[in-house]
Amino acid sequence: MFKDLNPILHSQLRLAVVSILITVREAEFTYLREKTNATAGNLSVQINKLKEAGYIDVVKSFKDNYPQTICKITPIGITAFEEYVRDLQSYLNIKK
Amino acid sequence: MESEKELTSAEESLQLITRMINQTKRDYRETGISALLWGSVITVCALVTFGNFFWRIKALEYIWLLTIGAVVPQIIISIQESKRRRLKSYTDDLMGGIWISFGMAMFLLSYFTSKDPIPNEASIFMVIYGIPTFATGYSRRFRPMIIGGLACWVFAILSSFSPFPYTMLYTAAAAQLAWFIPGLILRRAYLKAKGQHV
């Protein structure tokens, strides 16, 4: 049933991350970890996959001498997310 | 959340998307401190100016210098809030730019009016108070600030028909509706949300 859905987004953790990032312009890694209840390792791997797909940008910097990772969704990511939601709606026969 | 857990149904996916978006929107909250600060300062300055028309205390003629003093805590509040904030919305920079422009406009207008008094001074100030207030309320869909912005413009019109010091009562009312009351509402919502997270 779901073989046509975007496999990058059709994972619980990656979809959760993209859903957060679609709502705001950027979010810190610590926020994403807290809201998804994922471990730092898991989240890093999934964020890397999203980054490799071109769906998100990851900027690493320092804030008050601590490393800070900021994630933001890209235009490609926004398009992919919108398509994914449209596909879900078509499965559920939700008409706009 | 498991790293590679596949979603089993379209409903589950949509529920997850909805939950994350709602949670993020809830987490993105203003603290309301800046609105409370400026709502209080402008109200105090306006009411003291009104009262001093009858009291005639020399020192109180300089009460509006409080607004310059309030810039320092405002800068500290802004820096602390930006350090604490782990999310940035699409309108953050735009709103920041609008409020900084407002601050500059207030400073310059105060300077020019101190050099050469102009007619309907309080009305002009209230027209400008309304701009960032209405813009913030409109962009954030925050009705109290939309009402506050509109109130500033209504009071600006009413004030133009009133003599000094009664214009100061309109200024105080504008500060209450534009900033203090919205600030209280924001603060209460922020503390409530914070309490739920702890």
Side-chain angles (χ1 to χ4, degrees):
Chain A
M1 181 186 177
F2 288 111
K3 64 182 176 186
D4 293 326
L5 285 173
N6 182 337
I8 302 285
L9 292 180
H10 200 56
S11 127
Q12 205 178 38
L13 186 49
R14 289 194 292 269
L15 184 61
V17 168
V18 172
S19 299
I20 292 170
L21 294 179
I22 201 95
T23 317
V24 290
R25 202 181 73 191
E26 59 184 46
E28 284 186 22
F29 180 88
T30 51
Y31 179 84
L32 296 173
R33 196 181 64 194
E34 187 185 302
K35 294 301 153 185
T36 57
N37 291 322
T39 63
N42 273 347
L43 188 59
S44 290
V45 171
Q46 302 314 316
I47 279 176
N48 232 17
K49 285 187 182 176
L50 289 167
K51 189 183 163 192
E52 281 167 9
Y55 291 179
I56 65 169
D57 275 336
V58 179
V59 179
K60 289 177 190 279
S61 60
F62 282 88
K63 186 178 176 181
D64 298 332
N65 295 324
Y66 287 98
Q68 182 193 39
T69 304
I70 292 171
C71 302
K72 45 181 120 175
I73 198 158
T74 63
I76 299 170
I78 293 171
T79 306
F81 180 80
E82 286 171 349
E83 273 173 17
Y84 180 79
V85 171
R86 263 198 302 275
D87 290 343
L88 288 177
Q89 286 172 332
S90 69
Y91 277 117
L92 293 167
N93 291 321
I94 296 173
K95 286 181 185 164
K96 275 194 170 179
Chain B
M1 251 175 224
E2 292 297 320
S3 57
E4 293 289 338
K5 192 184 171 195
E6 280 245 335
L7 293 149
T8 52
S9 70
E11 285 91 346
E12 191 190 354
S13 297
L14 282 176
Q15 276 167 11
L16 176 66
I17 291 167
T18 310
R19 195 172 72 238
M20 285 298 152
I21 289 175
N22 287 340
Q23 195 171 265
T24 309
K25 278 184 182 168
R26 267 202 309 275
D27 286 342
Y28 187 81
R29 286 196 180 277
E30 297 286 338
T31 62
I33 293 178
S34 297
L36 284 172
L37 171 72
W38 289 102
S40 309
V41 168
I42 301 296
T43 303
V44 167
C45 291
L47 292 179
V48 167
T49 305
F50 175 78
N52 203 40
F53 180 78
F54 306 102
W55 307 328
R56 307 266 176 205
I57 300 168
K58 184 79 183 155
L60 292 181
E61 286 175 13
Y62 301 101
I63 189 69
W64 287 93
L65 288 178
L66 257 187
T67 57
I68 296 173
V71 171
V72 177
Q74 177 58 64
I75 291 169
I76 294 168
I77 290 165
S78 299
I79 292 170
Q80 281 180 342
E81 285 185 353
S82 83
K83 274 185 180 175
R84 265 201 305 266
R85 186 159 282 169
R86 293 187 297 161
L87 295 171
K88 219 174 188 189
S89 86
Y90 287 98
T91 56
D92 274 351
D93 290 342
L94 178 68
M95 285 296 109
I98 287 176
W99 282 98
I100 290 168
S101 310
F102 167 72
M104 282 308 295
M106 283 292 101
F107 177 74
L108 291 172
L109 197 59
S110 303
Y111 170 70
F112 291 129
T113 53
S114 70
K115 270 180 70 179
D116 297 303
I118 53 168
N120 295 324
E121 188 180 312
S123 296
I124 292 167
F125 273 96
M126 277 185 275
V127 167
I128 298 176
Y129 289 172
I131 296 170
T133 308
F134 185 84
T136 302
Y138 191 79
S139 71
R140 299 258 160 95
R141 290 181 174 79
F142 183 49
R143 197 176 291 176
M145 274 199 160
I146 293 177
I147 294 168
L150 293 173
C152 287
W153 295 329
V154 171
F155 289 146
I157 296 167
L158 294 175
S159 169
S160 70
F161 296 109
S162 306
F164 183 84
Y166 299 97
T167 52
M168 287 295 110
L169 296 180
Y170 286 117
T171 302
Q176 286 292 301
L177 283 172
W179 304 319
F180 193 81
I181 294 170
L184 270 185
I185 295 167
L186 286 171
R187 189 75 194 150
R188 215 171 271 174
Y190 173 79
L191 291 175
K192 193 177 167 192
K194 203 177 162 196
Q196 283 170 352
H197 285 183
V198 174

